[in-house]
Every structure is written in C-alpha cells, then in structure tokens.
Amino acid sequence: MATRDTSTMPKAYSIAKRYLLDGFLDEVSQNQQVHRDMVQLTALAAISTAVQGLVVAKWPDGKSSSTSLYTLVIAGSGEGKTPTYLEVYKGVLDFQHREMAAYEDTNKKHLAEYEVWVKKKEAILKKIARLTSKGEDTVELEEQFKKHLVEEPVIKKEPILLYENSTAEALIDGMLNNSKYATLVSSEGGSILKSSAFKADSMMNGLWSNETVRIHRKTTGSAHLSGGRLTTCIMVQPEVFDSYLQSAGRDARGSGMWARFLIAEPERMVGKRNYSAGTKNKTYSINFANRIVELLELTKKRVEAGEEKFSVYLSQGAQVRFIQVCNSIESYTAPGCLLHGFEDHAAKLPDNVLRVACLVSVFINGPQTEISEEVLENAINIVNYYSLQFRNRFYSPSDSDIDDQEMVEWIGAKVSNGQRYYRKAELQRYCPSRLRKIKRLDPCLTRLQQSWMVRCFNDQGVNIVDLAPTYPFDPVAYTSCLMKSSRLLKHTNF
C-alpha cells in the first residue's frame, strides 16, 4: 500500500557533523542563496564521482556494493541549479580540465610515435609482399613484423569523467574507450530525460548494480562493459519531470530505475533570498574542492598501477545497526505500513544507506577506515529524508491502498483509547464508512491480518477482531467484548 506522508517536511540532515561538510553545505547555500537540500544532494553526487572508482562498500554478510549514486534534484527556474552544480563540482571540473590539458600535450607525442609505427609496419609488410612474389624466404621479416606489433605505442585514454546529455551509446563507448568511471550530469535535465540513456533503463539498472552491460549497435556491433561505475547528477524543473513521467517515466518506475535514485524536491527560494554586500567567504568551498581532487588523484594513481579497489567495512557496532535498519525496512513493506506499494524503492534503500555511509566515511577519514556508527546513523537519516521525497513524488494509491490506510488510522485511534477487541459486526458498523460493506471490509482485514495488524478469529460462534495482536492478551478487555456480545444476542432473541 502506498502511504503518503503528510507530516511536516523535516529539515534535511547534514552529511556529517565533522570535518568540512556541514560548513561547506551552509557556505554554498548562503553564497549562492539556494536551498541547502539541493547543495547536499549535489555534494553527495560529487563525492560519488570522486570515490566510485576507488572503493567498494562491504555488507555484513561479505557481499560488495559499488558506491555510485543516482541523484535527481527537482527545482524550478531561478532556483540556482546551474550555480550550485558549478560550485559543488568545481573540484571535479578542475581535475578534468587539468587532465585534459595534460592529455592533449602528451597525446601529440603519442600520435607522432603512432604514425611512425604505422609507417614502419606498412614498410615491413611491403617487403614481405615483394619477397613473397619472388618466391624468396620471409622468415626474418615475419619475426621482425611480430616484434614490431608488440611495440605498438599505447595511446593514452582520454580522461573524460563527465558526460552531459549523452546518449546511451556514446556513454558506453566513452566508458569502454576511456575511463570506465563516469558521471552523467545535467543542470537543466530536460534533454537528458529524453535521451536514449534514460530510455535504456536496463543499462542504467545494470551500471548501478555493477553488472556487465551490453549495448547493441547497428553499425559497429555489440559492446560489453564490465566493472563500469556510473554516477548521475541530474537537475530538472518540476514541469519537465512531470511531462517525462506522463510519457516514459511510469515505465521507468516499473523497471526499477527510479527506485535507485535519491530525489530532492526542495522548497522554493524565490522571494525568500537575502543578498548582502561584501566578499563571500569560500574557505569551505576551497577545502571541499581540494578534497575531491585528492580522492580523484588517488583513484587515478591506483587505476594506473592496476591496484584493486579498497574494501570499506562497517564497524562492529555499525553492522548491528545496519542489520536493524534492513529488517525495519522490510517490515515497513507490509500492508498498511509506510513502504507498502514502494517495494521496489524499499529494496534499494539498504544499498543506498550503505553507499552514502561509505562515501561520507571515505571523504572524511579515507578509504582504509571502517564506517563508524555515527557516520552510518547520518547516512540513515539522509536516505530516509530523500526516501520521503521519493514517496511523495511517486505516490499514486489504489482503492485497496486507501482502504488499508484508513483502517490502519482508525485502528490506531481505537487502540490508543484502550479499545482492542471488537465483534466483527460491531467493527463493520463503526469502521471508516468506505469499508462498511463486507465485500470491501473482508479483503482489507485479510491484508492487514497478513502483516499482523489485526487478528480475526471465531470464539463460541462470535467473529472477533483483535486490533492489537502483537500485544499481550488482555483477559479483562476480551471478557468485556464477549459479555457485550452476549447481551446483544439476548436482546436480539427477546
């Protein structure tokens, strides 16, 4: 059952109450006059870009998850999406610009060496062809040719990290031919939602889950990418996203693609900004960008050396807490509970909790430190906050969802007033009006009984409904229910 949370939206939790992250979020929010939620989710995406090729996150049972995040910010025109992206991604942009400049300089030398190598190869082949036509021995030249092939200059891969509004084919080609750790970005995401990348939901799902991805191409054949990592940092206007959902978006939800996303839809800042004169403090922003560059440098060093990714583990206490969270999320998918109707989303929540915790831990403490309980608790709060926004954005209840929700609310009110046991006939008379017909009441009670929200049974010919079956048996309340039933029966017989 899809349950809409109508409570007041809480303030987004800070990433961590240590190091520079809190200060950075506040500083960018103040300097750019943008909502802190937008800055926070963009910062998580930037850290994901920097760390996804460096580490894997370890579950308590030993399995591994990548640390790539899929993020989506939904914000209107004039809300500062582009300035936020440019400020938060400054470290990544600077690193890529520097690497591209170095690549272009060294690539000229590589290209010259490659051209010479090609000409020598052609010359050897011509000699072999000439001697062969004369019937002469070519063994020495063939050995020379084999040696020459081994000496082929290796063209350095182009250091592309960021792809803007890319097609699925271009993205996979780039990850195959250059770095296999990529980020799909757009500060005005209307065009990217229409691109083939977002139509290839199996590709998006596979990259998030660290599976081998296969792309079929008409001209150059199929391509396979193994070990790729993809982060998304998409910002889009509400009306553009609504239009997308009306077309392909519902299919994408059905495929599970959007269930993998962390989604923020912050309150509008237009009309609430307070500009001031003077030089803006950018100390935290500089330090954040420098830390991003450090992590990208470390990733580059280990990739070039052929070293494996670091494995980041939960501390002992964090493991216990993480298992509790996994079990709680599972229980919330039962009928009448918060995540019922969002089972696809719920299935990805533990993974996203672990990924966020790993990213924050590596950013703060490096890749060789365990994830602490404090960092994990912050990650739980962060993911829970964005889960709330996901549910409100994708909420679309069925009739049975509404039945279950109204019955759960009615039960809660009755139990809080000490009313636990009901004859079924009496419950039918006083329950929410939409459920007073037996053809709707019975299926609702069946669904709620499956999740132990109620228990239905027959005692001495009387159908009883227990509204709190997980509580200890209450003989006084139960006897009162039976006596009331007996009095009513006698009155009816009279």
Side-chain angles (χ1 to χ4, degrees):
M1 180 190 71
T3 305
R4 184 172 182 83
D5 193 326
T6 57
S7 60
T8 303
M9 185 73 75
K11 178 183 177 183
Y13 293 89
S14 61
I15 291 181
K17 295 181 178 179
R18 293 161 54 192
Y19 201 57
L20 61 88
L21 285 172
D22 258 350
F24 172 70
L25 300 180
D26 291 334
E27 184 178 275
V28 175
S29 178
Q30 179 63 35
N31 288 349
Q32 301 294 342
Q33 290 291 291
V34 296
H35 203 288
R36 197 173 188 272
D37 292 6
M38 185 192 303
V39 183
Q40 178 171 261
L41 193 55
T42 309
L44 284 171
I47 298 171
S48 174
T49 298
V51 171
Q52 63 183 348
L54 181 64
V55 302
V56 294
K58 286 291 188 178
W59 291 61
D61 63 3
K63 71 178 181 180
S64 300
S65 280
S66 79
T67 56
S68 303
L69 294 181
Y70 284 1
T71 69
L72 172 72
V73 173
I74 304 171
S77 178
E79 292 296 321
K81 296 187 292 295
T82 299
T84 299
Y85 165 73
L86 292 175
E87 185 66 45
V88 175
Y89 261 80
K90 186 178 185 305
V92 180
L93 292 166
D94 287 350
F95 178 83
Q96 180 166 271
H97 178 74
R98 188 192 70 194
E99 290 296 304
M100 285 297 295
Y103 168 80
E104 289 171 359
D105 288 341
T106 57
N107 198 44
K108 292 176 182 178
K109 179 182 177 182
H110 283 295
L111 287 174
E113 292 174 348
Y114 183 75
E115 288 297 326
V116 171
W117 179 86
V118 169
K119 294 299 181 183
K120 288 183 177 180
K121 183 180 75 169
E122 292 173 351
I124 296 171
L125 288 174
K126 286 181 180 179
K127 289 180 181 179
I128 292 174
R130 187 171 62 251
L131 292 177
T132 300
S133 65
K134 295 179 180 180
E136 297 181 15
D137 181 63
T138 61
V139 173
E140 185 177 341
L141 283 173
E142 289 174 15
E143 289 300 320
Q144 184 182 348
F145 181 73
K146 291 176 183 178
K147 181 181 179 182
H148 184 71
L149 290 179
V150 174
E151 295 172 349
E152 178 181 0
V154 177
I155 303 298
K156 189 177 180 182
K157 291 185 176 182
E158 195 171 357
I160 299 176
L161 299 177
L162 306 177
Y163 293 79
E164 294 190 39
N165 304 321
S166 176
T167 65
E169 294 78 9
L171 176 64
I172 294 298
D173 280 343
M175 295 174 74
L176 281 168
N177 298 320
N178 303 303
S179 173
K180 61 181 178 180
Y181 309 126
T183 298
L184 196 57
V185 298
S186 179
S187 58
E188 294 295 341
S191 57
I192 201 169
L193 291 177
K194 298 175 184 177
S195 72
S196 60
F198 272 75
K199 294 177 182 177
D201 43 42
S202 61
M203 179 199 78
M204 297 289 290
N205 292 349
L207 287 172
W208 190 88
S209 302
N210 192 29
E211 298 170 356
T212 298
V213 174
R214 181 177 182 181
I215 291 291
H216 299 278
R217 295 172 293 193
K218 293 181 180 179
T219 55
T220 57
S222 299
H224 296 79
L225 174 66
S226 180
R229 298 284 193 275
L230 178 68
T231 294
T232 73
C233 180
I234 311 300
M235 298 179 174
V236 67
Q237 295 185 26
E239 55 272 19
V240 174
F241 192 67
D242 289 339
S243 175
Y244 165 78
L245 288 181
Q246 289 174 5
S247 54
R250 297 300 174 188
D251 292 335
R253 170 75 199 280
S255 74
M257 183 180 74
W258 288 110
R260 292 163 164 79
F261 272 76
L262 298 179
I263 295 178
E265 193 166 0
E267 296 177 5
R268 287 182 61 81
M269 293 290 289
V270 173
K272 303 176 184 178
R273 295 168 180 153
N274 182 24
Y275 294 97
S276 59
T279 303
K280 296 176 180 178
N281 185 4
K282 303 196 77 172
T283 302
Y284 286 110
S285 297
I286 292 170
N287 289 337
F288 181 86
N290 288 341
R291 180 58 175 157
I292 292 292
V293 171
E294 287 175 3
L295 292 168
L296 287 168
E297 289 280 12
L298 181 57
T299 300
K300 175 189 172 185
K301 179 181 177 182
R302 291 184 67 84
V303 169
E304 291 179 346
E307 296 175 325
E308 293 184 356
K309 296 178 181 66
F310 290 107
S311 292
V312 182
Y313 296 85
L314 294 160
S315 68
Q316 195 64 41
Q319 287 187 37
V320 174
R321 178 68 177 118
F322 183 72
I323 292 170
Q324 291 174 346
V325 169
C326 292
N327 291 332
S328 294
I329 290 171
E330 180 64 27
S331 69
Y332 287 147
T333 62
C337 295
L338 195 63
L339 294 172
H340 186 60
F342 293 102
E343 289 82 0
D344 58 338
H345 171 65
K348 307 305 177 189
L349 285 177
D351 211 328
N352 270 327
V353 167
L354 183 60
R355 293 179 188 216
V356 170
C358 184
L359 291 172
V360 174
S361 181
V362 172
F363 186 89
I364 296 171
N365 301 313
Q368 294 177 288
T369 302
E370 289 184 333
I371 300 169
S372 68
E373 290 181 69
E374 177 191 359
V375 169
L376 177 64
E377 202 63 43
N378 273 285
I380 293 167
N381 291 333
I382 290 168
V383 174
N384 182 55
Y385 176 75
Y386 291 124
S387 173
L388 171 62
Q389 301 210 20
F390 176 95
R391 298 195 303 273
N392 286 345
R393 164 52 67 170
F394 285 101
Y395 178 71
S396 182
S398 64
D399 285 342
S400 61
D401 291 337
I402 298 171
D403 289 349
D404 291 358
Q405 180 63 20
E406 290 198 13
M407 180 60 85
V408 167
E409 291 173 358
W410 183 84
I411 289 171
K414 296 303 177 184
V415 172
S416 65
N417 289 329
Q419 297 167 270
R420 175 174 175 181
Y421 300 101
Y422 271 81
R423 292 178 304 107
K424 184 178 177 182
E426 184 184 14
L427 183 143
Q428 182 181 355
R429 186 178 303 124
Y430 295 111
C431 73
S433 58
R434 64 182 287 122
L435 289 162
R436 289 177 185 172
K437 291 185 178 181
I438 201 69
K439 66 179 182 180
R440 295 193 76 147
L441 178 62
D442 279 350
C444 178
L445 291 176
T446 298
R447 290 191 297 270
L448 296 185
Q449 187 167 225
Q450 289 172 351
S451 57
W452 281 93
M453 300 293 292
V454 300
R455 186 169 75 93
C456 304
F457 58 95
N458 186 282
D459 187 2
Q460 303 178 38
V462 180
N463 290 321
I464 304 292
V465 181
D466 181 356
L467 304 186
T470 59
Y471 289 11
F473 176 68
D474 186 340
V476 175
Y478 185 66
T479 301
S480 175
C481 174
L482 289 179
M483 289 179 65
K484 184 177 181 181
S485 172
S486 177
R487 287 196 302 271
L488 288 170
L489 286 171
K490 289 179 180 178
H491 178 73
T492 302
N493 291 334
F494 177 77

